[in-house]
Every structure is written in C-alpha cells, then in structure tokens.
C-alpha cells in the first residue's frame, strides 16, 4: 500500500541491492544485471531500484544509451529526484548530447547542488558545445572547490587558449606544473605551455619547455607526445 504517494520500502530489498553491488564490484556484471533486472521488474515503483538498474547499465555495463531510459522513467515518476537528474546529465554528456546535459546540470545547480563534479562535467559539455566563456567560468568554479588541481588547471588553460587569453592560459599551466612533484612533471603540461609560449613569440621559453618535456618523458606517456616534443624542439632550436 502506498503512503503519501510512495510505495513502502520492503526490508529485504536492502540486502538484495547489496548483493547486486557485491557482484558488480566483483566483476560479475552479467549476474548483477540479471538480478537487478529481476528486482526492477518486481518493484517498478521503487525509485532506488530503478536508479540502480540505470547505474548498472551505464557505469558497470558501459552502456549509457541503455541506461538513459531508466533515468527518464524515474524522472517521469519523480521530476525532482536530483540524484537521477545528475546521472542523466552525465549520461547525456557521454552520449554527446551536450546541450541537453547542460540543461540537466543547470537544473541540479538551481536547487543548490554545487559540487566539483557538476562544474567539471558541465564545463566539458559547454566546451564541446562551443560555449567556451561559460566553460571557463565552470572550470574556475571547479578550482574553487579543489584549488591547485593540475588537471582542472590544464582544462581551464585549454579553454582560455581557445578564448585567446594566452597569458592566463600559460599561468594556469605554470601553476599546474608547480603543483606536481619536481621529478614527475607531466610532459603534456610542458608541451602545451611550450606551444602557447611559442604563439606569444617566446621561442626561448618554448624551447626550454620542449627540452624539459623530452627529458622528463616517462614510461607510459603517449608515444606520440614524445614525437611531438622532439618535433617542436627541433623547430624552435636556433639554426646551426
């Protein structure tokens, strides 16, 4: 029987969902999917069960297109379910439907949900949608939540470079480099800063970054990056 429009939570469901999660985390996705699908069919009014169905497909099954209808179903039943709205936004972004994702992120933010993941993921969608000024503001908001995060600084630098704000982009990359251990600076950061310095006419600074990138290249870094660093180093070196 429903109470105030809600179906009471069967106590046994908590243990059953824990078992689904145990299977997912243990790499037994197929079994987890069978069990959560059975639970969703048996309890079609339980939002948490439907949400776990969507998460199982979208996160553990890497099938965002299959997960999306489950999130839509929940929001039809409960439009104010913010956790689902956030996961729907993330799923839409993974599907490349960035304008719709931004709309969902905006809805989540409008009710006071202001967290790092919201700003960072919305910034990615805004940038993909060509809204670089708005994306730059979100990267800045994300950095307010996690100051000094090298990845966030790199993303803001890339966006600022697209906006033509090269000096600020270089400063972001400088801050990102400074936040890393001296003996493990990401060569990609050095490559990007070198490229921006070159665009501003600082060929000596660019060459120094490319040299440092080659010297600091690590096992596991993209092989193509090393080729790019060497090519740019050769291009910016003085003629013999």
């Amino acid at each position: 029987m429903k109470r105030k429009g809600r179906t009471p939570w069967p106590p046994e469901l908590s243990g059953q969902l824990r078992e689904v999660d145990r299977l997912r985390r243990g790499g037994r996705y197929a079994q987890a999917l069978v069990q959560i699908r059975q639970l969703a069919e048996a309890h079609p009014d339980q939002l948490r069960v439907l949400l776990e169905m969507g998460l199982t497909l979208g996160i553990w099954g890497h099938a965002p297109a299959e997960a999306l209808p489950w999130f839509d179903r929940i929001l039809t039943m409960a439009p104010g379910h913010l956790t689902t709205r956030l996961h729907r936004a993330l799923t839409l972004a993974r599907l490349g439907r960035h304008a719709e994702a931004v709309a969902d992120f905006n809805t989540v933010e409008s009710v006071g949900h202001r967290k790092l993941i919201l700003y960072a993921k919305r910034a990615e969608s805004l940038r993909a949608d060509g809204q670089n000024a708005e994306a730059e503001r979100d990267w800045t908001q994300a950095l307010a939540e996690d100051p000094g995060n090298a990845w966030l600084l790199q993303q803001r630098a890339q966006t600022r470079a697209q906006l033509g704000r090269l000096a600020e982009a270089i400063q972001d990359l400088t801050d990102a480099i400074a936040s890393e251990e001296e003996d493990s600076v990401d060569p990609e950061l050095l490559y990007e800063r070198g490229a921006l310095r070159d665009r501003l006419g600082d060929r000596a600074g660019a060459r120094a970054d490319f040299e440092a990138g080659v010297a600091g290249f690590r096992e596991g870094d993209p092989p193509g990056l090393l080729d790019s660093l060497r090519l740019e180093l050769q291009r910016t070196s003085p003629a013999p």
Side-chain angles (χ1 to χ4, degrees):
M1 179 181 296
K2 292 187 177 182
R3 298 176 183 172
K4 297 183 179 180
R6 294 185 179 182
T7 303
W9 180 259
E12 67 274 11
L13 263 181
S14 297
Q16 291 168 329
L17 289 180
R18 283 196 295 271
E19 175 62 13
V20 169
D21 191 50
R22 186 185 70 80
L23 290 170
R24 293 185 308 202
R25 294 180 184 278
R28 297 160 69 182
Y29 168 73
Q31 289 178 263
L33 182 60
V34 168
Q35 290 200 21
I36 191 61
R37 196 180 295 279
Q38 290 173 345
L39 292 175
E41 291 172 355
H43 304 279
D45 296 326
Q46 292 293 348
L47 301 186
R48 183 182 165 193
V49 173
L50 302 182
L51 177 60
E52 291 296 337
M53 180 70 201
L55 295 177
T56 299
L57 288 165
I59 296 176
W60 303 94
H62 308 291
E66 295 179 41
L68 187 60
W70 291 94
F71 300 142
D72 288 340
R73 179 174 166 182
I74 295 169
L75 291 171
T76 298
M77 298 165 62
H81 201 271
L82 288 184
T83 300
T84 299
R85 182 74 63 182
L86 178 59
H87 281 292
R88 182 177 186 269
L90 295 169
T91 301
L92 287 166
R94 290 178 63 194
L95 291 169
R97 294 165 59 178
H98 294 291
E100 295 170 86
V102 168
D104 271 352
F105 284 130
N106 291 345
T107 298
V108 174
E109 184 189 34
S110 70
V111 295
H113 185 99
R114 295 177 174 84
K115 292 188 177 181
L116 173 60
I117 188 172
L118 186 151
Y119 294 126
K121 290 299 182 180
R122 185 172 63 183
E124 290 179 340
S125 285
L126 286 165
R127 185 167 61 185
D129 206 37
Q131 300 182 61
N132 289 316
E134 293 80 0
E136 192 272 343
R137 284 197 291 269
D138 267 355
W139 291 126
T140 299
Q141 292 269 38
L143 280 162
E145 297 290 327
D146 189 7
N149 182 297
W151 183 80
L152 292 174
L153 286 164
Q154 181 185 22
Q155 301 310 306
R156 187 171 69 173
Q158 291 173 356
T159 304
R160 285 178 164 177
Q162 289 180 311
L163 291 167
R165 294 160 58 179
L166 302 188
E168 292 173 274
I170 288 171
Q171 185 58 57
D172 275 345
L173 291 170
T174 299
D175 292 342
I177 291 167
S179 73
E180 299 200 331
E181 297 292 335
E182 187 174 348
D183 59 350
S184 62
V185 173
D186 187 344
E188 186 176 9
L189 296 175
L190 292 164
Y191 175 79
E192 291 184 12
R193 188 175 69 175
L196 293 178
R197 282 176 161 174
D198 187 45
R199 286 174 62 183
L200 281 181
D202 179 10
R203 180 153 288 203
R207 186 168 60 254
D209 277 343
F210 298 140
E211 286 178 345
V214 170
F217 193 81
R218 306 160 299 188
E219 183 178 354
D221 285 329
L225 175 60
L226 182 58
D227 293 337
S228 296
L229 284 163
R230 286 172 172 164
L231 182 64
E232 291 302 312
L233 179 58
Q234 182 180 24
R235 187 181 62 80
T236 55
S237 295

